Amino acid sequence: MLNKQRRFCTTCKEEIHGRSDKRFCSDYCRAVHYNQVDTEVTLLMRRVNYQIRKNRRILARMNPKGKSKVARVKLLEAGLNFQYHTHTCTTRSGQVFRFCYDQGYYEMRNNYVKILAQNQLTE
Ligand SMILES: [Zn+2]
């Protein structure tokens, strides 16, 4: 008894004949699919990079002396997105600063944010 599951091309949805592990009907459809995936990843990376650079610009502007305390709402109003950062650093006192390149921030409990430039960390 034949009990073959019908398979369809990921790109064009046409039925696939032949090997059962095939996801695409042709090299063309495979290429179209992976180009599309690349494009989506590239767009995502561009959006994230743009936001991190924007965050850095906002933090640097509000932190001219390398060490500041700013109301959280002021950063939000300026367009800072707290989701995006490049890395974290933990100070000796155990505060975890999130960095956007050279500008780090730490959200305090009182709705203020400490901003610290990278070169102020080793103090
Ligand atoms: Zn196809």
Side-chain angles (χ1 to χ4, degrees), residues 2 5 7-8 14 19 23-24 37 39 42 48 51 62 65 73 77 81 87 96-97 99 102-104 106 121:
L2 262 173
Q5 201 167 350
R7 303 180 59 83
F8 299 91
E14 285 290 313
R19 264 174 37 221
R23 288 181 59 204
F24 304 98
V37 170
T39 305
T42 303
V48 170
Q51 183 62 55
M62 297 198 182
K65 290 177 179 162
V73 68
E77 280 169 6
N81 185 326
H87 62 290
V96 180
F97 276 75
F99 273 81
D102 65 318
Q103 298 290 323
Y106 172 76
L121 255 184

PDB file of all heavy atoms in Angstrom, residues 2 5 7-8 14 19 23-24 37 39 42 48 51 62 65 73 77 81 87 96-97 99 102-104 106 121:
ATOM      1  N   LEU A   2       0.534   2.167  -0.865  1.00  0.00           N
ATOM      2  CA  LEU A   2       1.291   3.409  -0.955  1.00  0.00           C
ATOM      3  C   LEU A   2       0.769   4.424   0.063  1.00  0.00           C
ATOM      4  O   LEU A   2      -0.401   4.749   0.068  1.00  0.00           O
ATOM      5  CB  LEU A   2       1.149   4.004  -2.356  1.00  0.00           C
ATOM      6  CG  LEU A   2       2.297   3.719  -3.324  1.00  0.00           C
ATOM      7  CD1 LEU A   2       1.939   4.220  -4.706  1.00  0.00           C
ATOM      8  CD2 LEU A   2       3.552   4.392  -2.820  1.00  0.00           C
ATOM      9  N   GLN A   5       3.478  10.765   1.859  1.00  0.00           N
ATOM     10  CA  GLN A   5       2.972  12.069   2.219  1.00  0.00           C
ATOM     11  C   GLN A   5       3.319  13.053   1.111  1.00  0.00           C
ATOM     12  O   GLN A   5       4.435  13.056   0.615  1.00  0.00           O
ATOM     13  CB  GLN A   5       3.602  12.517   3.542  1.00  0.00           C
ATOM     14  CG  GLN A   5       2.780  13.580   4.213  1.00  0.00           C
ATOM     15  CD  GLN A   5       3.197  13.812   5.649  1.00  0.00           C
ATOM     16  OE1 GLN A   5       3.979  13.048   6.207  1.00  0.00           O
ATOM     17  NE2 GLN A   5       2.693  14.869   6.236  1.00  0.00           N
ATOM     18  N   ARG A   7       4.397  16.414  -0.515  1.00  0.00           N
ATOM     19  CA  ARG A   7       5.260  17.504  -0.060  1.00  0.00           C
ATOM     20  C   ARG A   7       5.174  18.668  -1.035  1.00  0.00           C
ATOM     21  O   ARG A   7       4.994  18.472  -2.221  1.00  0.00           O
ATOM     22  CB  ARG A   7       6.707  17.015   0.071  1.00  0.00           C
ATOM     23  CG  ARG A   7       6.837  15.818   1.020  1.00  0.00           C
ATOM     24  CD  ARG A   7       8.283  15.364   1.127  1.00  0.00           C
ATOM     25  NE  ARG A   7       9.141  16.438   1.608  1.00  0.00           N
ATOM     26  CZ  ARG A   7       9.284  16.733   2.897  1.00  0.00           C
ATOM     27  NH1 ARG A   7       8.635  16.055   3.808  1.00  0.00           N
ATOM     28  NH2 ARG A   7      10.076  17.708   3.268  1.00  0.00           N
ATOM     29  N   PHE A   8       5.325  19.859  -0.475  1.00  0.00           N
ATOM     30  CA  PHE A   8       5.177  21.053  -1.307  1.00  0.00           C
ATOM     31  C   PHE A   8       6.376  21.985  -1.139  1.00  0.00           C
ATOM     32  O   PHE A   8       6.942  22.098  -0.045  1.00  0.00           O
ATOM     33  CB  PHE A   8       3.876  21.779  -0.944  1.00  0.00           C
ATOM     34  CG  PHE A   8       2.669  20.913  -1.172  1.00  0.00           C
ATOM     35  CD1 PHE A   8       2.176  20.108  -0.140  1.00  0.00           C
ATOM     36  CD2 PHE A   8       2.058  20.863  -2.408  1.00  0.00           C
ATOM     37  CE1 PHE A   8       1.080  19.284  -0.345  1.00  0.00           C
ATOM     38  CE2 PHE A   8       0.967  20.042  -2.625  1.00  0.00           C
ATOM     39  CZ  PHE A   8       0.466  19.251  -1.598  1.00  0.00           C
ATOM     40  N   GLU A  14       4.367  24.470  -5.016  1.00  0.00           N
ATOM     41  CA  GLU A  14       4.100  23.390  -5.971  1.00  0.00           C
ATOM     42  C   GLU A  14       4.450  22.054  -5.320  1.00  0.00           C
ATOM     43  O   GLU A  14       5.348  21.991  -4.458  1.00  0.00           O
ATOM     44  CB  GLU A  14       4.972  23.563  -7.219  1.00  0.00           C
ATOM     45  CG  GLU A  14       4.528  24.651  -8.168  1.00  0.00           C
ATOM     46  CD  GLU A  14       3.239  24.307  -8.901  1.00  0.00           C
ATOM     47  OE1 GLU A  14       3.142  23.171  -9.415  1.00  0.00           O
ATOM     48  OE2 GLU A  14       2.342  25.171  -8.930  1.00  0.00           O
ATOM     49  N   ARG A  19      12.908  12.674  -4.036  1.00  0.00           N
ATOM     50  CA  ARG A  19      13.385  12.434  -2.669  1.00  0.00           C
ATOM     51  C   ARG A  19      12.478  13.073  -1.621  1.00  0.00           C
ATOM     52  O   ARG A  19      12.009  14.191  -1.785  1.00  0.00           O
ATOM     53  CB  ARG A  19      14.795  13.006  -2.520  1.00  0.00           C
ATOM     54  CG  ARG A  19      15.887  11.950  -2.731  1.00  0.00           C
ATOM     55  CD  ARG A  19      17.274  12.585  -2.720  1.00  0.00           C
ATOM     56  NE  ARG A  19      17.398  13.664  -1.765  1.00  0.00           N
ATOM     57  CZ  ARG A  19      18.058  14.794  -2.044  1.00  0.00           C
ATOM     58  NH1 ARG A  19      18.619  14.988  -3.208  1.00  0.00           N
ATOM     59  NH2 ARG A  19      18.149  15.730  -1.138  1.00  0.00           N
ATOM     60  N   ARG A  23      12.962  20.146   0.174  1.00  0.00           N
ATOM     61  CA  ARG A  23      12.087  21.235   0.611  1.00  0.00           C
ATOM     62  C   ARG A  23      11.725  22.164  -0.541  1.00  0.00           C
ATOM     63  O   ARG A  23      10.850  23.007  -0.419  1.00  0.00           O
ATOM     64  CB  ARG A  23      12.785  22.060   1.695  1.00  0.00           C
ATOM     65  CG  ARG A  23      12.891  21.351   3.034  1.00  0.00           C
ATOM     66  CD  ARG A  23      13.563  22.243   4.052  1.00  0.00           C
ATOM     67  NE  ARG A  23      12.834  23.482   4.244  1.00  0.00           N
ATOM     68  CZ  ARG A  23      13.381  24.600   4.698  1.00  0.00           C
ATOM     69  NH1 ARG A  23      14.644  24.638   5.032  1.00  0.00           N
ATOM     70  NH2 ARG A  23      12.662  25.697   4.835  1.00  0.00           N
ATOM     71  N   PHE A  24      12.498  22.026  -1.638  1.00  0.00           N
ATOM     72  CA  PHE A  24      12.279  22.934  -2.766  1.00  0.00           C
ATOM     73  C   PHE A  24      12.130  22.129  -4.043  1.00  0.00           C
ATOM     74  O   PHE A  24      12.737  21.073  -4.202  1.00  0.00           O
ATOM     75  CB  PHE A  24      13.463  23.901  -2.896  1.00  0.00           C
ATOM     76  CG  PHE A  24      13.727  24.675  -1.639  1.00  0.00           C
ATOM     77  CD1 PHE A  24      14.717  24.259  -0.750  1.00  0.00           C
ATOM     78  CD2 PHE A  24      12.980  25.793  -1.321  1.00  0.00           C
ATOM     79  CE1 PHE A  24      14.944  24.952   0.428  1.00  0.00           C
ATOM     80  CE2 PHE A  24      13.208  26.485  -0.144  1.00  0.00           C
ATOM     81  CZ  PHE A  24      14.190  26.067   0.732  1.00  0.00           C
ATOM     82  N   VAL A  37      15.637  35.002   3.203  1.00  0.00           N
ATOM     83  CA  VAL A  37      16.067  34.873   4.601  1.00  0.00           C
ATOM     84  C   VAL A  37      17.209  35.852   4.868  1.00  0.00           C
ATOM     85  O   VAL A  37      17.208  36.571   5.859  1.00  0.00           O
ATOM     86  CB  VAL A  37      16.503  33.424   4.915  1.00  0.00           C
ATOM     87  CG1 VAL A  37      17.171  33.354   6.287  1.00  0.00           C
ATOM     88  CG2 VAL A  37      15.300  32.483   4.854  1.00  0.00           C
ATOM     89  N   THR A  39      17.873  38.607   3.358  1.00  0.00           N
ATOM     90  CA  THR A  39      17.365  39.973   3.349  1.00  0.00           C
ATOM     91  C   THR A  39      16.705  40.314   4.677  1.00  0.00           C
ATOM     92  O   THR A  39      16.927  41.390   5.230  1.00  0.00           O
ATOM     93  CB  THR A  39      16.355  40.161   2.193  1.00  0.00           C
ATOM     94  OG1 THR A  39      16.984  39.781   0.982  1.00  0.00           O
ATOM     95  CG2 THR A  39      15.893  41.588   2.089  1.00  0.00           C
ATOM     96  N   THR A  42      19.394  40.733   7.313  1.00  0.00           N
ATOM     97  CA  THR A  42      20.106  41.984   7.085  1.00  0.00           C
ATOM     98  C   THR A  42      19.283  43.178   7.558  1.00  0.00           C
ATOM     99  O   THR A  42      19.808  44.090   8.207  1.00  0.00           O
ATOM    100  CB  THR A  42      20.442  42.143   5.584  1.00  0.00           C
ATOM    101  OG1 THR A  42      21.205  41.011   5.186  1.00  0.00           O
ATOM    102  CG2 THR A  42      21.232  43.403   5.324  1.00  0.00           C
ATOM    103  N   VAL A  48      18.561  46.934  14.375  1.00  0.00           N
ATOM    104  CA  VAL A  48      19.154  46.824  15.713  1.00  0.00           C
ATOM    105  C   VAL A  48      20.384  47.731  15.813  1.00  0.00           C
ATOM    106  O   VAL A  48      20.541  48.474  16.786  1.00  0.00           O
ATOM    107  CB  VAL A  48      19.518  45.354  16.041  1.00  0.00           C
ATOM    108  CG1 VAL A  48      20.338  45.274  17.316  1.00  0.00           C
ATOM    109  CG2 VAL A  48      18.256  44.517  16.181  1.00  0.00           C
ATOM    110  N   GLN A  51      19.392  51.323  16.151  1.00  0.00           N
ATOM    111  CA  GLN A  51      18.880  51.667  17.476  1.00  0.00           C
ATOM    112  C   GLN A  51      20.006  51.749  18.504  1.00  0.00           C
ATOM    113  O   GLN A  51      20.009  52.629  19.361  1.00  0.00           O
ATOM    114  CB  GLN A  51      17.822  50.651  17.932  1.00  0.00           C
ATOM    115  CG  GLN A  51      17.190  50.993  19.271  1.00  0.00           C
ATOM    116  CD  GLN A  51      16.431  52.324  19.262  1.00  0.00           C
ATOM    117  OE1 GLN A  51      15.554  52.542  18.445  1.00  0.00           O
ATOM    118  NE2 GLN A  51      16.790  53.240  20.176  1.00  0.00           N
ATOM    119  N   MET A  62      23.708  63.110  27.010  1.00  0.00           N
ATOM    120  CA  MET A  62      23.272  63.390  28.381  1.00  0.00           C
ATOM    121  C   MET A  62      24.374  63.077  29.401  1.00  0.00           C
ATOM    122  O   MET A  62      24.138  63.165  30.606  1.00  0.00           O
ATOM    123  CB  MET A  62      22.021  62.571  28.689  1.00  0.00           C
ATOM    124  CG  MET A  62      20.873  62.963  27.782  1.00  0.00           C
ATOM    125  SD  MET A  62      19.304  62.436  28.410  1.00  0.00           S
ATOM    126  CE  MET A  62      18.211  62.995  27.096  1.00  0.00           C
ATOM    127  N   LYS A  65      30.174  64.618  30.937  1.00  0.00           N
ATOM    128  CA  LYS A  65      31.342  64.521  31.814  1.00  0.00           C
ATOM    129  C   LYS A  65      31.739  63.077  32.104  1.00  0.00           C
ATOM    130  O   LYS A  65      32.649  62.824  32.890  1.00  0.00           O
ATOM    131  CB  LYS A  65      31.087  65.278  33.115  1.00  0.00           C
ATOM    132  CG  LYS A  65      31.065  66.786  32.894  1.00  0.00           C
ATOM    133  CD  LYS A  65      30.733  67.552  34.154  1.00  0.00           C
ATOM    134  CE  LYS A  65      30.746  69.064  33.862  1.00  0.00           C
ATOM    135  NZ  LYS A  65      30.044  69.811  34.907  1.00  0.00           N
ATOM    136  N   VAL A  73      12.624  58.888  32.368  1.00  0.00           N
ATOM    137  CA  VAL A  73      11.646  59.387  31.409  1.00  0.00           C
ATOM    138  C   VAL A  73      12.304  60.305  30.370  1.00  0.00           C
ATOM    139  O   VAL A  73      11.894  60.354  29.213  1.00  0.00           O
ATOM    140  CB  VAL A  73      10.462  60.080  32.142  1.00  0.00           C
ATOM    141  CG1 VAL A  73      10.900  61.375  32.808  1.00  0.00           C
ATOM    142  CG2 VAL A  73       9.287  60.290  31.201  1.00  0.00           C
ATOM    143  N   GLU A  77      11.959  59.784  26.430  1.00  0.00           N
ATOM    144  CA  GLU A  77      11.494  60.869  25.561  1.00  0.00           C
ATOM    145  C   GLU A  77      12.476  61.136  24.431  1.00  0.00           C
ATOM    146  O   GLU A  77      12.085  61.477  23.316  1.00  0.00           O
ATOM    147  CB  GLU A  77      11.284  62.156  26.378  1.00  0.00           C
ATOM    148  CG  GLU A  77       9.976  62.167  27.141  1.00  0.00           C
ATOM    149  CD  GLU A  77       9.883  63.300  28.154  1.00  0.00           C
ATOM    150  OE1 GLU A  77      10.802  64.162  28.176  1.00  0.00           O
ATOM    151  OE2 GLU A  77       8.912  63.305  28.921  1.00  0.00           O
ATOM    152  N   ASN A  81      15.945  53.164  23.573  1.00  0.00           N
ATOM    153  CA  ASN A  81      15.251  51.881  23.679  1.00  0.00           C
ATOM    154  C   ASN A  81      16.075  50.976  24.592  1.00  0.00           C
ATOM    155  O   ASN A  81      17.183  50.562  24.233  1.00  0.00           O
ATOM    156  CB  ASN A  81      15.080  51.267  22.296  1.00  0.00           C
ATOM    157  CG  ASN A  81      14.260  49.990  22.341  1.00  0.00           C
ATOM    158  OD1 ASN A  81      14.329  49.222  23.298  1.00  0.00           O
ATOM    159  ND2 ASN A  81      13.488  49.753  21.307  1.00  0.00           N
ATOM    160  N   HIS A  87      26.787  45.208  25.190  1.00  0.00           N
ATOM    161  CA  HIS A  87      27.364  44.289  26.179  1.00  0.00           C
ATOM    162  C   HIS A  87      27.035  44.793  27.585  1.00  0.00           C
ATOM    163  O   HIS A  87      26.436  45.860  27.736  1.00  0.00           O
ATOM    164  CB  HIS A  87      28.881  44.173  25.998  1.00  0.00           C
ATOM    165  CG  HIS A  87      29.615  45.459  26.186  1.00  0.00           C
ATOM    166  ND1 HIS A  87      29.535  46.509  25.289  1.00  0.00           N
ATOM    167  CD2 HIS A  87      30.452  45.872  27.167  1.00  0.00           C
ATOM    168  CE1 HIS A  87      30.294  47.492  25.708  1.00  0.00           C
ATOM    169  NE2 HIS A  87      30.862  47.147  26.846  1.00  0.00           N
ATOM    170  N   VAL A  96      25.025  46.045  37.430  1.00  0.00           N
ATOM    171  CA  VAL A  96      25.229  45.608  36.046  1.00  0.00           C
ATOM    172  C   VAL A  96      24.864  46.759  35.097  1.00  0.00           C
ATOM    173  O   VAL A  96      23.707  47.146  35.012  1.00  0.00           O
ATOM    174  CB  VAL A  96      24.399  44.353  35.712  1.00  0.00           C
ATOM    175  CG1 VAL A  96      24.630  43.927  34.264  1.00  0.00           C
ATOM    176  CG2 VAL A  96      24.750  43.217  36.664  1.00  0.00           C
ATOM    177  N   PHE A  97      25.860  47.307  34.455  1.00  0.00           N
ATOM    178  CA  PHE A  97      25.643  48.374  33.480  1.00  0.00           C
ATOM    179  C   PHE A  97      25.480  47.757  32.103  1.00  0.00           C
ATOM    180  O   PHE A  97      26.233  46.879  31.717  1.00  0.00           O
ATOM    181  CB  PHE A  97      26.837  49.341  33.466  1.00  0.00           C
ATOM    182  CG  PHE A  97      26.755  50.394  34.529  1.00  0.00           C
ATOM    183  CD1 PHE A  97      27.015  50.085  35.851  1.00  0.00           C
ATOM    184  CD2 PHE A  97      26.417  51.692  34.198  1.00  0.00           C
ATOM    185  CE1 PHE A  97      26.933  51.052  36.845  1.00  0.00           C
ATOM    186  CE2 PHE A  97      26.335  52.671  35.178  1.00  0.00           C
ATOM    187  CZ  PHE A  97      26.583  52.359  36.496  1.00  0.00           C
ATOM    188  N   PHE A  99      25.791  48.454  28.202  1.00  0.00           N
ATOM    189  CA  PHE A  99      26.531  49.405  27.377  1.00  0.00           C
ATOM    190  C   PHE A  99      26.020  49.465  25.953  1.00  0.00           C
ATOM    191  O   PHE A  99      25.595  48.447  25.385  1.00  0.00           O
ATOM    192  CB  PHE A  99      28.023  49.038  27.355  1.00  0.00           C
ATOM    193  CG  PHE A  99      28.771  49.644  28.503  1.00  0.00           C
ATOM    194  CD1 PHE A  99      28.745  49.048  29.749  1.00  0.00           C
ATOM    195  CD2 PHE A  99      29.479  50.817  28.330  1.00  0.00           C
ATOM    196  CE1 PHE A  99      29.404  49.618  30.820  1.00  0.00           C
ATOM    197  CE2 PHE A  99      30.145  51.386  29.390  1.00  0.00           C
ATOM    198  CZ  PHE A  99      30.117  50.804  30.637  1.00  0.00           C
ATOM    199  N   ASP A 102      30.540  52.674  24.110  1.00  0.00           N
ATOM    200  CA  ASP A 102      31.312  53.207  25.247  1.00  0.00           C
ATOM    201  C   ASP A 102      30.451  53.837  26.325  1.00  0.00           C
ATOM    202  O   ASP A 102      30.962  54.303  27.333  1.00  0.00           O
ATOM    203  CB  ASP A 102      32.321  54.245  24.736  1.00  0.00           C
ATOM    204  CG  ASP A 102      31.603  55.451  24.145  1.00  0.00           C
ATOM    205  OD1 ASP A 102      30.594  55.257  23.427  1.00  0.00           O
ATOM    206  OD2 ASP A 102      32.025  56.581  24.417  1.00  0.00           O
ATOM    207  N   GLN A 103      29.128  53.864  26.126  1.00  0.00           N
ATOM    208  CA  GLN A 103      28.246  54.505  27.102  1.00  0.00           C
ATOM    209  C   GLN A 103      27.401  53.451  27.813  1.00  0.00           C
ATOM    210  O   GLN A 103      26.615  52.747  27.168  1.00  0.00           O
ATOM    211  CB  GLN A 103      27.330  55.526  26.409  1.00  0.00           C
ATOM    212  CG  GLN A 103      28.059  56.672  25.722  1.00  0.00           C
ATOM    213  CD  GLN A 103      28.696  57.635  26.714  1.00  0.00           C
ATOM    214  OE1 GLN A 103      28.134  57.919  27.782  1.00  0.00           O
ATOM    215  NE2 GLN A 103      29.885  58.135  26.369  1.00  0.00           N
ATOM    216  N   GLY A 104      27.557  53.372  29.141  1.00  0.00           N
ATOM    217  CA  GLY A 104      26.811  52.392  29.910  1.00  0.00           C
ATOM    218  C   GLY A 104      25.733  53.046  30.748  1.00  0.00           C
ATOM    219  O   GLY A 104      25.845  54.204  31.130  1.00  0.00           O
ATOM    220  N   TYR A 106      22.718  52.245  34.005  1.00  0.00           N
ATOM    221  CA  TYR A 106      22.217  51.373  35.059  1.00  0.00           C
ATOM    222  C   TYR A 106      20.902  51.956  35.552  1.00  0.00           C
ATOM    223  O   TYR A 106      20.853  53.122  35.971  1.00  0.00           O
ATOM    224  CB  TYR A 106      23.233  51.284  36.203  1.00  0.00           C
ATOM    225  CG  TYR A 106      22.714  50.556  37.417  1.00  0.00           C
ATOM    226  CD1 TYR A 106      22.611  49.167  37.435  1.00  0.00           C
ATOM    227  CD2 TYR A 106      22.320  51.268  38.554  1.00  0.00           C
ATOM    228  CE1 TYR A 106      22.121  48.502  38.552  1.00  0.00           C
ATOM    229  CE2 TYR A 106      21.835  50.608  39.678  1.00  0.00           C
ATOM    230  CZ  TYR A 106      21.738  49.223  39.672  1.00  0.00           C
ATOM    231  OH  TYR A 106      21.256  48.562  40.777  1.00  0.00           O
ATOM    232  N   LEU A 121      34.855  53.497  34.194  1.00  0.00           N
ATOM    233  CA  LEU A 121      34.574  52.239  34.886  1.00  0.00           C
ATOM    234  C   LEU A 121      35.721  51.766  35.766  1.00  0.00           C
ATOM    235  O   LEU A 121      35.498  51.185  36.812  1.00  0.00           O
ATOM    236  CB  LEU A 121      34.292  51.134  33.849  1.00  0.00           C
ATOM    237  CG  LEU A 121      32.853  50.686  33.657  1.00  0.00           C
ATOM    238  CD1 LEU A 121      32.800  49.544  32.677  1.00  0.00           C
ATOM    239  CD2 LEU A 121      32.174  50.311  34.954  1.00  0.00           C
TER     240      LEU A 121
END
